[in-house]
Amino acid sequence: MKNPKHEVPIVVIKRLPRYYRYLSDLAQHGISRISSAELSKRMGVTASQIRQDFNCFGDFGQQGYGYNVKHLHEKIGEILGLNKSYSLIIVGAGNLGHALANYAGIERRGYQIIGIFDNDPNKIGTKIKNISVSDIENLESFCSEQQVDIAVLAIPKGEVKEITSRLVSAGVKGLWNFSYSELETPEDIVVENVHLSDSLMTLSYKITNK
Amino acid sequence: MKNPKHEVPIVVIKRLPRYYRYLSDLAQHGISRISSAELSKRMGVTASQIRQDFNCFGDFGQQGYGYNVKHLHEKIGEILGLNKSYSLIIVGAGNLGHALANYAGIERRGYQIIGIFDNDPNKIGTKIKNISVSDIENLESFCSEQQVDIAVLAIPKGEVKEITSRLVSAGVKGLWNFSYSELETPEDIVVENVHLSDSLMTLSYKITNK
């Protein structure tokens, strides 16, 4: 397999998680082989796009035999880094923080939740999924004792700037940002934004133009 | 302005919400004019992409004068259908349903939350943002009395199939889907998926390949 680093366009990378989900489903249903034509029909993308995308990473299929589902699933998982394990903390123990802590997908994707933080005295000390909510004041000491790969920002917009800066100083490598604001971070910090507002606007476009 | 219907590639449409957010910020900071070069620097996309994107909808700028922020903001809002108003119900009053009901962005984008539904007797009758949680059994009668444009699916995967089918029969036009599964819906139903799992996988790719 080719080393995908510095080679694969980000638009292709962005499509990999969806392939991964579909391949997971196929494998769970006991399907061991699939043609690009069949995968194309299920996913609603062209077969030629599927072939082009998979070719970015090397040769995944044999002409006329289709793709080996299990092999392809594993390889895409490796490319996405899902064979590794990451430690994660959630900052903000409100409804969204709760919902995320309880979202099984986090642990299924190799992330281990090792801490939850808040500044609200009524929340500090309560338990979410057997994890006791810590005072945000202890963020730095926690990060110096344990390696924290990812911090989830489930906090209000007004608190983002200060918290982001503290997390970066404390050595966190990546941020999963639900705070509805663009972050200003050093170049070596990885950021993945979830902009629900963009999704809502796309929805209203679709409704208006359907 | 050109009519964008059937003309604008979906990749351009997907970029409009982000332009809209940036233009909102600029307008709030009292900036009335911006060049494609300056907007490019702030947003981290090329100036030529910005010009190409805006050209899809007609002429938004004057050579050498830059774009009129307020005008552009309004026009993109119109294209996205944000000048209209939509009624929305939330199905699922768990942590995610709570978080979404309290998310101010929903009403700011023209959506009015008119109902929240659950099947849990402990939740039915409780209030979220002054809206009393209704028994999911009343979904059909509610939808026959009030026009429901959008339903938010904040329910577990196992309940999705039945609830989606009931919502479609009840005349809902669009679904904002947080349920971590692909929906099978008739063609005239608009679906916008929020796949947090895809976002997590993109994050782990970025961390692994940074």
Side-chain angles (χ1 to χ4, degrees):
Chain A
M1 197 181 67
K2 291 181 209 166
N3 177 359
K5 211 169 170 177
H6 306 308
E7 287 179 21
V8 182
I10 184 72
V11 290
V12 178
I13 298 301
K14 286 265 176 196
R15 284 195 285 265
L16 292 184
R18 189 154 176 258
Y19 288 124
Y20 189 83
R21 271 191 287 117
Y22 270 84
L23 292 164
S24 302
D25 272 0
L26 291 171
Q28 270 171 26
H29 287 87
I31 296 166
S32 59
R33 238 166 222 294
I34 192 157
S35 64
S36 51
E38 176 63 24
L39 193 56
S40 146
K41 211 170 72 184
R42 287 178 183 244
M43 295 187 63
V45 293
T46 66
S48 95
Q49 178 168 89
I50 290 176
R51 286 192 296 266
Q52 266 179 28
D53 284 353
F54 294 169
N55 277 341
C56 289
F57 301 101
D59 193 16
F60 278 145
Q62 277 176 282
Q63 193 70 39
Y65 286 86
Y67 296 104
N68 178 319
V69 171
K70 189 162 166 277
H71 177 70
L72 189 53
H73 183 248
E74 275 174 17
K75 285 298 170 193
I76 293 182
E78 273 174 33
I79 293 163
L80 288 171
L82 302 180
N83 51 339
K84 305 204 175 93
S85 161
Y86 312 92
S87 58
L88 176 147
I89 59 171
I90 296 174
V91 185
N95 289 310
L96 181 62
H98 257 87
L100 292 170
N102 284 300
Y103 169 40
I106 289 187
E107 304 204 328
R108 204 165 53 233
R109 299 309 176 208
Y111 296 86
Q112 198 199 344
I113 304 173
I114 60 169
I116 303 174
F117 294 84
D118 207 290
N119 62 2
D120 178 350
N122 293 321
K123 287 178 186 150
I124 295 164
T126 61
K127 286 206 169 188
I128 305 179
K129 270 195 90 185
N130 281 328
I131 298 170
S132 181
V133 176
S134 306
D135 189 335
I136 189 73
E137 288 311 311
N138 301 328
L139 183 67
E140 283 78 5
S141 60
F142 184 92
C143 291
S144 70
E145 281 160 21
Q146 307 211 39
Q147 188 190 312
V148 178
D149 295 319
I150 307 281
V152 182
L153 297 180
I155 50 178
K157 209 169 172 168
E159 296 171 19
V160 170
K161 206 166 175 168
E162 186 212 323
I163 295 292
T164 299
S165 147
R166 287 173 62 185
L167 287 164
V168 168
S169 301
V172 166
K173 296 178 203 159
L175 300 166
W176 198 23
N177 176 29
F178 287 81
S179 72
Y180 315 124
S181 55
E182 304 274 334
L183 305 181
E184 287 165 30
T185 48
E187 271 198 9
D188 62 333
I189 303 292
V190 164
V191 177
E192 172 70 12
N193 295 307
V194 179
H195 281 301
L196 294 184
S197 160
D198 289 10
S199 176
L200 262 182
M201 289 192 258
T202 307
L203 185 60
S204 73
Y205 176 84
K206 289 177 179 169
I207 294 257
T208 307
N209 294 278
K210 79 168 180 179
Chain B
M1 197 180 71
K2 292 181 208 166
N3 177 2
K5 211 167 171 177
H6 307 308
E7 287 180 21
V8 182
I10 185 72
V11 290
V12 178
I13 297 301
K14 285 267 177 195
R15 284 197 285 266
L16 292 185
R18 190 156 176 257
Y19 288 124
Y20 188 82
R21 272 192 287 116
Y22 270 83
L23 291 165
S24 301
D25 273 0
L26 291 172
Q28 270 170 27
H29 287 87
I31 295 166
S32 60
R33 237 165 223 295
I34 191 157
S35 63
S36 51
E38 175 63 24
L39 192 57
S40 146
K41 213 170 71 185
R42 287 178 183 244
M43 295 187 64
V45 293
T46 65
S48 94
Q49 178 167 88
I50 290 176
R51 285 191 296 265
Q52 268 178 26
D53 284 353
F54 293 171
N55 277 343
C56 290
F57 302 101
D59 194 16
F60 277 147
Q62 278 174 282
Q63 193 70 39
Y65 285 87
Y67 296 105
N68 177 320
V69 170
K70 189 163 167 275
H71 178 70
L72 188 54
H73 184 251
E74 276 174 14
K75 285 297 170 193
I76 293 181
E78 274 174 34
I79 292 163
L80 289 169
L82 302 180
N83 52 339
K84 304 204 175 93
S85 162
Y86 311 92
S87 58
L88 177 149
I89 60 172
I90 296 174
V91 185
N95 289 310
L96 182 61
H98 257 88
L100 292 171
N102 285 299
Y103 168 41
I106 290 189
E107 303 205 327
R108 204 164 54 234
R109 298 308 175 209
Y111 296 86
Q112 199 199 342
I113 304 172
I114 61 169
I116 304 174
F117 293 84
D118 207 290
N119 61 3
D120 179 349
N122 293 321
K123 286 177 188 151
I124 295 165
T126 60
K127 286 207 169 187
I128 305 178
K129 269 194 91 186
N130 281 327
I131 298 169
S132 180
V133 176
S134 306
D135 189 335
I136 190 74
E137 289 311 311
N138 302 328
L139 185 66
E140 283 78 4
S141 60
F142 185 92
C143 291
S144 70
E145 282 160 21
Q146 306 211 38
Q147 188 190 311
V148 177
D149 296 318
I150 307 280
V152 183
L153 297 180
I155 50 178
K157 211 169 170 169
E159 297 172 17
V160 170
K161 207 166 175 171
E162 186 213 325
I163 295 292
T164 299
S165 146
R166 287 173 62 185
L167 287 164
V168 169
S169 301
V172 165
K173 297 177 202 160
L175 299 167
W176 199 22
N177 176 29
F178 286 81
S179 71
Y180 315 125
S181 56
E182 304 272 336
L183 306 181
E184 287 166 30
T185 48
E187 271 199 11
D188 62 334
I189 303 293
V190 164
V191 176
E192 172 70 12
N193 295 307
V194 179
H195 281 301
L196 293 183
S197 160
D198 289 11
S199 176
L200 261 180
M201 290 192 257
T202 307
L203 184 62
S204 75
Y205 176 83
K206 288 178 181 171
I207 294 257
T208 306
N209 293 279
K210 78 168 181 177

